[in-house]
Amino acid sequence: MDTMRDRFAPVLTQILDEDPRVAVVLAEIGAAPFAGAARRHPERVINVGIREQLLVGAGAGLALAGMRPVMHTFASFLVERPFEQVKLDFGHQGVGGVLVSAGASYDVSSGGFTHMAPGDVALLDTLDGWRVHVPGHPDEAEVLLRRAVGAGGDAVSDSREYVRLSVQSNREALPVDGERFLSVREGRRGVVVAVGPMLDNVLAATEGLDVSVLYATTIRPFDDAGLRRAVDASGSADVVIVEPYLAGTSTRAANDALADVPHRVLGLGVGRRELRRYGSVEEHVVGHGLDARALRERISGFLLSRGSSAGPSAAAPVSSAATPGPSAAAPVAAAATPGSSAAAPLPSAAAPA
């Protein structure tokens, strides 16, 4: 199966051929697959070299001129390094564009921490109006990319979109729409939200547990109504969010969605502690407790810490779909556990600020 990034260049090349208002801006990385498009559309395939601030600034200039720019490089160079340009050139100027990243949190682990961006979505959360898409399969990446670019309409879109591509992928694509969470499994003892490529491990981790599983590929704006429906249907306001980036990134959004009901939220994801041995993607998954075996312990531990039952199979072995390797973390009981962010039980209907 091809990767999400393998799918990116052919899909965007087709869009470039079809819509003369779309442009792509590159910073050397990922330029080779656009060689043919650059020959056909030299004015709309722009490689600024290793100048990431210019990458974003040039994209904003194209947007100000009425174009729909797509900017692409590794996440750490696309969101973190030129963050001032993202904030000012797009947000302050009030123009739209599409950021498409590769590398995710630790896909390029051999490159060290300079090539890792577990905080990219949290960083964009400090800005207003960004839509964030985290596909879990190449087919979903194509759907979400086409929706984000919005080519072919009567007017050029002015939305600000971030599409986060990764080499991590679920086995099967689901029918995503760029708006709502999908209900994948229904249960009565809590709700687990799996974001993008975390779905397969979450499904393996929760096999036999009496919990609902929601699948999120568009995480901003957060699907408040979808979470509320799942909580109402399950009868439990215990929520776990499993994200492939910084743990706790979406706990505030979930708290806001459930502000008028007593609830608990646990955020699982990449821990704040830097893993200084490069390792492989799979080793980083285990190191951050995001493999199926560790997720089962942490999800069960959170649900049982309230005194609720996660079902008769809570202690059963995880299914064979789990990532091999020992558990990286003990059951979660507090926010101090690496790779997690937990909200304490609310004493009233008010959510934390």
Side-chain angles (χ1 to χ4, degrees):
M1 183 175 70
D2 58 352
T3 68
M4 298 181 199
R5 197 178 183 207
D6 290 337
R7 192 73 62 88
F8 165 63
V11 170
L12 189 56
T13 294
Q14 182 182 14
I15 294 172
L16 287 164
D17 289 340
E18 294 172 348
D19 193 330
R21 300 168 299 180
V22 175
V24 60
V25 188
L26 308 164
E28 206 62 54
I29 291 171
F34 287 98
R39 287 191 294 270
R40 292 191 299 277
H41 315 292
E43 75 288 357
R44 292 190 291 119
V45 179
I46 302 166
N47 182 2
V48 301
I50 308 174
R51 300 175 180 87
E52 287 82 8
Q53 289 89 344
L54 179 58
L55 166 77
V56 175
L62 289 166
L64 285 167
M67 304 289 286
R68 183 63 168 167
V70 179
M71 294 140 284
H72 173 66
T73 187
F74 291 155
S76 57
F77 306 147
L78 185 64
V79 176
E80 295 178 339
R81 183 171 294 175
F83 180 70
E84 182 180 13
Q85 283 69 39
V86 174
K87 179 179 75 172
L88 297 179
D89 295 357
F90 279 93
H92 182 66
Q93 296 280 16
V95 295
V98 185
L99 304 177
V100 181
S101 71
S105 294
Y106 39 69
D107 286 0
V108 195
S109 57
S110 60
F113 206 50
T114 58
H115 287 61
M116 300 182 191
D120 56 344
V121 177
L123 191 56
L124 283 178
D125 253 357
T126 66
L127 305 178
D128 180 46
W130 281 90
R131 296 174 56 83
V132 177
H133 311 281
V134 188
H137 188 278
D139 290 351
E140 297 169 2
E142 178 171 346
V143 170
L144 294 172
L145 175 63
R146 290 184 181 278
R147 288 184 64 92
V149 175
D154 293 335
V156 175
S157 173
D158 62 356
S159 66
R160 294 187 285 277
E161 314 267 349
Y162 178 44
V163 183
R164 191 181 201 262
L165 307 182
S166 177
V167 297
Q168 292 182 268
S169 177
N170 302 314
R171 288 186 295 274
E172 296 181 2
L174 294 182
V176 300
D177 65 1
E179 299 289 340
R180 294 176 292 274
F181 298 168
L182 293 177
S183 177
V184 178
R185 182 180 290 166
E186 295 183 355
R188 297 168 297 171
R189 300 295 185 181
V191 178
V192 182
V193 181
V195 178
M198 294 291 95
L199 179 61
D200 279 359
N201 278 2
V202 166
L203 289 176
T206 57
E207 183 68 34
L209 304 186
D210 190 13
V211 298
S212 296
V213 176
L214 297 179
Y215 181 45
T217 53
T218 295
I219 196 69
R220 296 292 183 277
F222 193 84
D223 184 6
D224 295 4
L227 179 61
R228 285 298 298 262
R229 283 193 299 271
V231 165
D232 291 345
S234 73
S236 170
D238 287 349
V239 176
V240 182
I241 305 177
V242 185
E243 300 176 279
Y245 36 79
L246 192 65
T249 296
S250 293
T251 54
R252 179 174 179 174
N255 278 324
D256 289 347
L258 302 173
D260 60 337
V261 296
H263 63 275
R264 298 191 307 159
V265 178
L266 172 67
L268 300 180
V270 179
R272 292 181 181 272
R273 180 175 60 86
E274 179 186 346
L275 302 183
R276 291 178 175 268
R277 294 183 179 180
Y278 290 174
S280 65
V281 172
E282 293 74 20
E283 287 170 326
H284 279 265
V285 169
V286 174
H288 288 290
L290 294 174
D291 59 293
R293 192 176 303 278
L295 286 174
R296 188 180 188 87
E297 291 182 2
R298 301 166 86 183
I299 293 168
S300 298
F302 177 69
L303 297 176
L304 292 172
S305 69
R306 187 165 179 140
S308 63
S309 170
S313 304
V318 72
S319 77
S320 58
T323 303
S327 170
V332 171
T337 304
S340 67
S341 174
L346 297 181
S348 67

